[in-house]
Every structure is written in structure tokens, then in C-alpha cells.
């Protein structure tokens, strides 16, 4: 598990489609700073065993990239591509995270 403090900077347009209902489109950049990372391993060896460990795992402390969001009323889908690698240079494979998801918002 890795936790980040995230700050999005978005430009949003809300398009009326019917009585009071809107379609919203947003795009911008998102940045984050890692605040923690840990692993938890659960296995059975004559009984249930748990091993928890906190470490930095050579993950980059900061991440940034473009993000887009598309929604109707309180439902949204979003995608973010992080342009810097997941791991520090020379400390792991060259991976660039892509985050895709759904969100439910409240007024």
C-alpha cells in the first residue's frame, strides 16, 4: 500500500443536457507527495501468520501527470497518467503508472 497527498489543478466545464442535469468535463494536472508505503503478508504455516513492514521500497517521493475527468451529475470516470517513473532511477523497473477509476461526488 502506498499513500500520497495529492493536489489536482483542473479546468472544468459543466454542460447542461436537460432540466438541471449537467455533463461535466475536466482536465488538468495532478501532483502528489508520498506520505507512506507498507506491505502486509498473510500466510498459513500451522496457523495464520502476518508480517507487516514499512519502507520506502525505492518509490519516487513525488509524482505528477495529466488527468482527465468526465461525468454526468454525481458520477464520474477519470484517468491519470503519471509522467515520472514509479521507482527512483536505477532502483527498479521503468514503470509509469496509469490510474483509471470511477467516482461518486456529493453536492
Amino acid at each position: 500500500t502506498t499513500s500520497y497527498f495529492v493536489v489536482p489543478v483542473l479546468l472544468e466545464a459543466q454542460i447542461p443536457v436537460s432540466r438541471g442535469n449537467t455533463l461535466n468535463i475536466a482536465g488538468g494536472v495532478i501532483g502528489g507527495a508520498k506520505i507512506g508505503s507498507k506491505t502486509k503478508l498473510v500466510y498459513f504455516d500451522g496457523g495464520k501468520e502476518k508480517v507487516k513492514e514499512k519502507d520506502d521500497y525505492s518509490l519516487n517521493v513525488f509524482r505528477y501527470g495529466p488527468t482527465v475527468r468526465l461525468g454526468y451529475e454525481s458520477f464520474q470516470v477519470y484517468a491519470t497518467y503519471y509522467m515520472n517513473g514509479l521507482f527512483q532511477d536505477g532502483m527498479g523497473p521503468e514503470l509509469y503508472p496509469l490510474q483509471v477509476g470511477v467516482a461518486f461526488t456529493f453536492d
Side-chain angles (χ1 to χ4, degrees):
T1 304
T2 306
S3 301
Y4 285 87
F5 175 75
V6 177
V7 177
V9 178
L10 301 169
L11 182 60
E12 181 177 323
Q14 295 187 357
I15 304 164
V17 290
S18 63
R19 295 181 220 180
N21 295 332
T22 59
L23 177 70
N24 54 70
I25 301 169
V29 294
I30 195 165
K34 184 174 60 125
I35 56 176
S37 53
K38 63 182 178 179
T39 61
K40 177 177 150 182
L41 176 64
V42 179
Y43 63 95
F44 296 90
D45 185 22
K48 187 175 181 179
E49 302 287 335
K50 291 182 188 178
V51 177
K52 297 179 184 179
E53 185 177 326
K54 292 183 181 181
D55 198 352
D56 71 345
Y57 302 105
S58 301
L59 296 169
N60 270 325
V61 175
F62 298 104
R63 65 182 186 176
Y64 56 88
T67 186
V68 293
R69 300 174 185 198
L70 175 64
Y72 179 75
E73 287 302 307
S74 62
F75 176 78
Q76 282 190 334
V77 294
Y78 64 89
T80 303
Y81 175 73
Y82 292 102
M83 298 180 71
N84 60 328
L86 180 63
F87 296 101
Q88 296 170 6
D89 289 338
M91 300 299 288
E94 193 170 328
L95 299 174
Y96 296 90
L98 172 65
Q99 191 175 50
V100 178
V102 296
F104 298 95
T105 60
F106 302 98
D107 290 336

